[in-house]
């Protein structure tokens, strides 16, 4: 492909059966097995990129290499450059997108900037992996979907809840009917995002044209519930501002119903003192389960078992992205599903209860 030919001096030859093979760095490969790396441009070096994205990229150095970085912080770039000496700094996103040695862009930027950055990347015909959500509004989301289709590039959203291994096990349990008829689902995410939190950032709590911290965090809950239970209907919603410093709304109490008439209660708050608590509980006629991001407790009439699950969702996201770019495989969480999550969020948090 064009990505490869720019990077390697490839010597083409013929097998005795007529099939082609190439020699790359002294190794022999059939033309369908050429090793390659996706050359990345990074936009945004915030806490979340360094905590989640960077370790995944470094783990997958046989698939990815960081070539270029845009950040307004020279200090942040210096820290990255100490780990990746080959990375160069660009003064603005346009300069990064003009680089011939950037195949794809990873964008970890505040939600208010996300649409414009994504638009520029897609217009430059670069592949894009962006942090959730797809966009701040449905109109922006539709525009990005159409643009990605026109430009013929891969566009993925890093919704990590769709790649958490314990949630996939929960999905298998539900599909197998191991809990019997599902009677109630409870999901809670209780966090304290005060100024001492590493994730505290003014943009999360000062929304302009989007739903603030509830969109930034609540999209996870909507995405997970859709993944496990399908279509959601809003029956009751209460939005509140517990901590006025965290914007218009920092807390939501939701009463939902799935397409199979399963009752769902959700509590989301970012103003719970000294807490970092997430759990999902599902009660059925023949058993129940409780899980967090890494542990599952399954309980039947006469048994109870606890299982631990490894956390490697960001490595899985990047592997999915690599396969989408290099082999055009459909990602486990594609851009249409990201739009469906955004539409479901809008229906749950903004529409009138039915």
């Amino acid at each position: 492909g064009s990505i490869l030919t720019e990077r390697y001096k490839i010597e083409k030859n013929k097998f005795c059966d007529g099939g082609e093979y190439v020699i790359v760095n002294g190794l022999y490969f059939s033309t369908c097995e050429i090793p390659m790396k996706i050359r990345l441009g990074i936009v945004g070096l915030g806490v979340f990129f360094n905590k989640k994205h960077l370790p995944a990229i470094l783990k997958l150095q046989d698939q990815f290499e960081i070539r270029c970085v845009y950040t307004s912080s020279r200090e942040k770039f210096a820290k990255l450059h100490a780990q990746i000496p080959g990375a160069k700094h660009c003064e603005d996103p346009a300069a990064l997108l003009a680089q011939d040695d950037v195949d794809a862009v990873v964008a970890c930027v505040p939600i208010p900037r996300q649409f414009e950055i994504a638009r520029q990347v897609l217009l430059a015909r670069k592949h894009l992996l962006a942090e959730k959500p797809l966009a701040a509004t449905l109109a922006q989301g539709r525009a990005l979907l159409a643009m990605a289709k026109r430009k013929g590039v891969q566009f993925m959203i890093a919704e990590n809840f769709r790649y958490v291994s314990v949630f996939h096990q929960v999905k298998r349990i539900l599909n197998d009917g191991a809990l019997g008829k599902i009677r109630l689902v409870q999901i809670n995410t209780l966090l304290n995002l005060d100024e001492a939190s590493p994730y505290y950032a003014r943009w999360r709590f000062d929304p302009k044209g989007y739903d603030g911290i509830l969109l930034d965090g609540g999209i996870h809950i909507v995405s997970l519930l859709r993944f496990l239970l399908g279509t959601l209907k809003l029956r009751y919603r209460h939005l509140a501002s517990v901590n006025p410093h965290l914007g218009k709304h920092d807390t939501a109490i939701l009463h939902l119903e799935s397409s199979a008439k399963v009752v769902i209660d959700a509590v989301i708050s970012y103003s719970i003192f000294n807490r970092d608590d997430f759990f999902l509980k599902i009660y059925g006629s023949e058993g129940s389960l409780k899980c967090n991001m890494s542990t599952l407790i399954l309980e039947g009439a006469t048994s109870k078992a606890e299982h631990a699950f490894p956390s490697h969702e960001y490595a899985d996201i990047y592997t999915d992205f690599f396969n989408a770019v290099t082999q055009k495989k459909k990602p486990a969480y594609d851009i249409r599903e990201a739009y469906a999550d955004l539409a479901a969020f809008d229906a749950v948090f903004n529409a009138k209860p039915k």
Side-chain angles (χ1 to χ4, degrees), residues 93-136:
L96 182 147
L97 294 173
Q99 302 298 310
D100 291 334
D101 61 348
V102 170
D103 306 312
V105 172
V106 175
C108 296
V109 297
I111 292 175
R113 295 184 59 206
Q114 191 156 311
F115 173 75
E116 182 56 29
I117 293 295
R119 188 185 72 84
Q120 291 180 36
V121 174
L122 297 176
L123 284 174
R125 284 190 165 88
K126 306 285 188 183
H127 304 293
L128 174 61
L129 176 63
E131 258 301 327
K132 54 75 197 163
L134 169 62

Side-chain angles (χ1 to χ4, degrees), residues 1-60:
S2 60
I3 294 176
L4 285 171
T5 55
E6 294 172 3
R7 213 155 334 152
Y8 296 104
K9 291 183 178 179
I10 297 176
E11 179 185 344
K12 282 194 173 184
N13 297 275
K14 294 283 186 180
F15 288 117
C16 58
D17 63 0
E20 285 191 341
Y21 71 92
V22 296
I23 303 173
V24 181
N25 296 335
L27 300 176
Y28 290 74
F29 299 90
S30 72
T31 52
C32 62
E33 296 175 330
I34 302 173
M36 67 169 295
K37 289 185 180 182
I38 296 175
R39 301 168 297 178
L40 296 175
I42 309 297
V43 179
L45 292 183
V47 172
F48 204 79
F49 173 84
N50 285 292
K51 184 175 181 179
K52 297 294 186 179
H53 288 262
L54 183 57
I57 294 169
L58 294 176
K59 182 179 180 180
L60 300 173

